[in-house]
Amino acid sequence: MTSTDPFRIGLLGHGTVGGAFAELLDGRADEIEARTGRRPELSGVLTRSRGDFEEILEGSDLIVEVMGGLEPAREYVLRALNAGRHVVTANKQLLAEHGEELWAAAREHGVRLRFEAAVAGVVPVIRVMQETLAGAYIERLHGIVNGTTNYILTEMARTGEPYADALAAAQRLGYAEADPTDDVTGKDAAAKMAILARLAFGTPVSLDQVIYEGIEQITSDDLAFARELGLGLKLLGTAERVDGGISVRVHPAFLYAGHPLASVSGPYNAVTIESPAITEITLSGPGAGGPQTASAVLGDVVSAMVPPAPTPEPTSALPVITDVESAFYLHLEVDDEPGVLAQVAQILGLQGVSIKSVVQEGMGEKARLVMVLHPVLESRFAAATKMIEGLDFIRATPRAIRVLEEQFVLCAFLLRCPGCERSPGHPRAARHHRAAPRRG
Ligand SMILES: NC(=O)c1ccc[n+]([C@@H]2O[C@H](COP(=O)([O-])OP(=O)(O)OC[C@H]3O[C@@H](n4cnc5c(N)ncnc54)[C@H](OP(=O)(O)O)[C@@H]3O)[C@@H](O)[C@H]2O)c1
């Protein structure tokens, strides 16, 4: 083989992404040849009904895996890496469950395993974390990494329609699959957050260590009350350093309007990366779609054709912490009688939970008590809601949704904070300034 030989790409999967990739490659081959000195071309395609994996592997310099699923994708990717082939994959479930095994194989054989399209589609968050921020100490990530649920929540807030109707609209428009389970339960976002946490903290994180919940229980009522409280709802992924360990989770969360992710609407994705040295950066764009995802896959292919990019190696073994502090929105359906708020407040107080704001609405059968609480350990909040649920005047299971407290007042970073007297360059200044006012 000489450096002028074509660069041979074996394509595993020819569906939404694979089909778009083949088309894009065809259209961009001249340009890529001019830039890299080698012409990329498809050497074989595997689907359920055509192609032979052994032949494709034998005749390829790089394998693109866009089949999805765990097996046989895992077996094929591993075989390709062990045979000294670079691999590009868009498969988040595969990386979240078997990433360590695959990255180890890539390191052992000195080949590249690239996966930009596995998280947030064409948004270049993987490359930014692996390359641009390779020297930064990342403290926290927040992500809207599932376009289906973001579309559904955006529509529920915009039209007031119930969850089932918004889901049906998403399916009609192709934003949700016929079986939307992985999206609406938060599992898809959990896999992506496991991959991001792995890169951010250099510690192995598997899908079963990510706590996740979905959006099926969200009502349009919650969204209407939240608007009154100045909040917008997102299915939010969080990966952060906590007490010498890390916490990785996905759940619905209310954001205040000033948060950089609050304005991300429809099927778009976005990730906010926080680090003392850089304050924070937010990357956003289309999170899915054939041509968009194919573009990210092709970017990975081109980068594998030119000099090295790192394969992530574990640099630490941090414990995963499950009980973290969160602020909550609490929605109670109550009997319309005196002393209701006082009794609820007393129970919350016993568990160390303090109330930030309250809306009381309705009479008789329709009376509601909706509040936003200050941050507290989630186990203490759970204990309080269990006690509240047992009160005579509670008419339905309490609904709770987390609220992100940070309000991101960006200009504060430029000024000396009157509260703490930290100067602009202080590593803790940005976070301190962004934190919303707490109790009192
Ligand atoms: N769609 C998106 O917008 C998007 C965005 C980001 C990431 N991704 C990821 O990209 C991957 C592909 O998604 P997609 O939407 O393109 O899926 P898709 O439309 O269902 O296409 C899957 C392709 O893989 C082939 N395939 C599946 N199992 C196979 C097997 N056991 N042996 C041989 N071929 C097999 C299918 O063959 P047949 O044609 O014979 O059925 C089909 O051609 C997934 O990992 C997904 O999570 C997708």
Side-chain angles (χ1 to χ4, degrees):
M1 186 181 72
T2 71
S3 63
T4 53
D5 286 339
F7 187 82
R8 301 162 305 162
I9 300 165
L11 181 60
L12 311 185
H14 197 266
T16 307
V17 179
F21 173 79
E23 206 171 301
L24 185 65
L25 182 67
D26 197 38
R28 301 289 300 155
D30 289 347
E31 176 79 17
I32 295 169
E33 183 178 10
R35 280 175 55 190
T36 64
R38 290 182 72 184
R39 186 172 186 81
E41 64 179 36
L42 280 190
S43 51
V45 176
L46 183 76
T47 68
R48 288 188 183 91
S49 56
R50 69 166 157 145
D52 175 75
F53 175 70
E54 305 300 335
E55 273 175 29
I56 292 172
L57 180 62
E58 188 56 35
S60 302
D61 300 305
L62 178 148
I63 293 291
V64 168
E65 185 277 304
V66 283
M67 296 164 54
L70 291 181
E71 293 291 355
R74 176 189 151 275
E75 183 202 331
Y76 290 166
V77 168
L78 204 53
R79 297 257 320 271
L81 296 168
N82 287 338
R85 307 295 193 277
H86 305 301
V87 173
V88 173
T89 177
N91 191 334
K92 60 244 151 188
Q93 299 293 352
L94 178 66
L95 291 170
E97 301 215 11
H98 299 291
E100 294 310 322
E101 181 187 23
L102 302 178
W103 285 312
R107 279 195 300 275
E108 188 185 339
H109 295 280
V111 290
R112 280 165 247 165
L113 171 59
R114 306 223 52 150
F115 48 97
E116 187 65 71
V119 181
V122 73
V123 182
V125 59
I126 302 293
R127 187 148 318 160
V128 165
M129 285 181 36
Q130 281 189 308
E131 296 173 21
T132 318
L133 298 181
Y137 177 86
I138 295 175
E139 250 175 359
R140 182 187 296 144
L141 305 166
H142 285 304
I144 296 173
V145 288
N146 182 275
T148 305
T149 45
N150 204 47
Y151 175 83
I152 292 171
L153 293 175
T154 304
E155 283 307 287
M156 286 175 72
R158 189 178 68 80
T159 63
E161 67 187 359
Y163 165 75
D165 292 4
L167 170 60
Q171 285 170 320
R172 268 198 310 278
L173 291 166
Y175 292 138
E177 294 182 26
D179 176 4
T181 312
D182 278 3
D183 292 322
V184 299
T185 57
K187 186 177 179 192
D188 172 270
K192 293 165 178 170
M193 291 310 297
I195 296 169
L196 290 181
R198 168 67 176 81
L199 292 183
F201 308 130
T203 190
V205 182
S206 63
L207 183 55
D208 59 12
Q209 293 175 307
V210 183
I211 298 168
Y212 64 90
E213 66 187 58
I215 63 164
E216 302 117 299
Q217 307 305 325
I218 301 295
T219 68
S220 32
D221 216 18
D222 291 323
L223 293 165
F225 275 109
R227 211 172 16 246
E228 225 172 291
L229 293 159
L231 300 165
L233 190 65
K234 302 290 172 195
L235 182 66
L236 193 76
T238 299
E240 62 184 346
R241 297 182 189 271
V242 185
D243 300 335
I246 58 163
S247 163
V248 190
R249 51 195 196 273
V250 171
H251 47 64
F254 284 117
L255 305 181
Y256 286 94
H259 193 281
L261 298 184
S263 59
V264 177
S265 57
Y268 269 58
N269 280 196
V271 177
T272 293
I273 305 168
E274 294 179 39
S275 162
I278 59 165
T279 314
E280 97 262 336
I281 53 175
T282 301
L283 302 159
S284 69
Q292 294 85 344
T293 310
S295 165
V297 171
L298 185 55
D300 275 352
V301 169
V302 174
S303 86
M305 292 171 72
V306 291
T311 298
E313 201 162 346
T315 51
S316 57
L318 300 173
V320 175
I321 294 171
T322 49
D323 195 14
V324 294
E325 276 210 342
S326 294
F328 282 91
Y329 154 103
L330 180 63
H331 182 130
L332 303 173
E333 294 181 25
V334 295
D335 287 336
D336 187 14
E337 60 183 46
V340 165
L341 176 58
Q343 284 189 62
V344 169
Q346 192 191 8
I347 290 177
L348 291 171
L350 281 174
Q351 291 296 339
V353 188
S354 70
I355 299 171
K356 183 172 179 180
S357 46
V358 185
V359 178
Q360 268 182 294
E361 206 182 88
M363 308 262 291
E365 289 286 288
K366 288 195 175 333
R368 303 269 198 284
L369 187 57
V370 179
M371 50 187 79
V372 174
L373 307 169
H374 282 292
V376 65
L377 271 183
E378 294 197 353
S379 55
R380 302 199 73 178
F381 175 76
T385 37
K386 197 152 183 235
M387 289 168 76
I388 290 168
E389 196 171 354
L391 293 170
D392 289 345
F393 54 75
I394 297 290
R395 287 188 291 103
T397 308
R399 285 209 304 281
I401 299 171
R402 291 163 186 83
V403 177
L404 207 68
E405 278 279 283
E406 292 179 22
Q407 298 207 34
F408 287 81
V409 184
L410 269 180
C411 62
F413 189 52
L414 306 172
L415 307 166
R416 180 173 284 272
C417 171
C420 71
E421 285 299 312
R422 279 179 179 142
S423 60
H426 191 286
R428 303 286 303 168
R431 251 187 83 189
H432 177 90
H433 283 286
R434 286 200 312 274
R438 299 279 288 264
R439 299 166 183 80

